[in-house]
Amino acid sequence: MSQEQKRLREARDGTADWRKWGPYLSERQWGTVREDYSATGEAWDYFPHDHARSRAYRWGEDGLAGFCDDKQRLCFALALWNGVDPILKERAFGLTNGEGNHGEDVKEYYFYLESTPTHSYCKYLYKYPQAAFPMTTWSRPTAPAAARSRNTSCSIPASSTRIAISTSSSNMPRPRPRIC
């Protein structure tokens, strides 16, 4: 029986709470209907990405490669900086309906690569740009309908940031953020 099978049995029997912690944190919570407190019901206009770093959420949290307990009472996530952006990178960037051609359009690349069922080991890949992130360029309001129909793709030069997280004291790989 493997270590993961033992952990699954412990979780099933209730002797260990292996599913208490996991990658349950959303990549983005800003601009969602849950966080809409506007008078008009326009969630995307009421809570854009630019407000996300200075507001408290009521119904959830967000973060890059986030890890939290099953109730989101304690949340951990990455904060990255490439040395040129004006802000720390704490959440996925996206556009509102008035800013881009799609509502809730995340303009980044990230991948969940591996995870054990108990989340004792997780692997995540985030493509972080080494040049300044084009937030202001992409956030310009697109008034003409022709501009709204154009598809804006995520085509920025990026390096790979691989992150492995281990919550087990077994012989799993140790958590070691590594920039590739």
Side-chain angles (χ1 to χ4, degrees), residues 125-136:
L125 173 67
Y126 175 69
K127 299 285 191 165
Y128 189 58
Q130 299 305 298
F133 197 86
M135 287 183 248
T136 55

Side-chain angles (χ1 to χ4, degrees), residues 125-180:
L125 173 67
Y126 175 69
K127 299 285 191 165
Y128 189 58
Q130 299 305 298
F133 197 86
M135 287 183 248
T136 55
T137 304
W138 284 343
S139 295
R140 291 190 187 127
T142 54
R148 254 192 298 256
S149 66
R150 186 175 31 107
N151 189 2
T152 308
S153 65
C154 184
S155 58
I156 52 178
S159 71
S160 297
T161 302
R162 293 180 183 267
I163 297 146
I165 300 171
S166 176
T167 57
S168 171
S169 60
S170 70
N171 58 2
M172 290 291 212
R174 292 272 182 230
R176 205 172 61 208
R178 190 178 108 204
I179 298 176
C180 302

Side-chain angles (χ1 to χ4, degrees), residues 91-110:
R91 60 191 43 83
F93 175 75
L95 302 173
T96 66
N97 283 340
E99 293 173 327
N101 59 325
H102 304 98
E104 302 185 68
D105 195 7
V106 172
K107 297 293 184 187
E108 299 182 69
Y109 294 127
Y110 59 90

Side-chain angles (χ1 to χ4, degrees), residues 31-47 97 104:
T32 60
V33 176
R34 288 183 175 168
E35 300 296 336
D36 179 23
Y37 304 105
S38 67
T40 60
E42 296 293 326
W44 299 289
D45 294 333
Y46 178 74
F47 202 151
N97 283 340
E104 302 185 68

Side-chain angles (χ1 to χ4, degrees), residues 43-110:
W44 299 289
D45 294 333
Y46 178 74
F47 202 151
H49 179 269
D50 193 42
H51 293 191
R53 66 180 176 272
S54 57
R55 286 196 186 183
Y57 298 115
R58 178 181 258 179
W59 299 106
E61 267 302 331
D62 62 6
L64 299 172
F67 221 76
C68 66
D69 66 346
D70 55 358
K71 305 272 192 268
Q72 284 194 355
R73 292 186 179 130
L74 187 58
C75 304
F76 300 98
L78 294 176
L80 305 171
W81 189 54
N82 61 7
V84 291
D85 283 336
I87 61 172
L88 286 175
K89 185 72 179 131
E90 298 176 282
R91 60 191 43 83
F93 175 75
L95 302 173
T96 66
N97 283 340
E99 293 173 327
N101 59 325
H102 304 98
E104 302 185 68
D105 195 7
V106 172
K107 297 293 184 187
E108 299 182 69
Y109 294 127
Y110 59 90

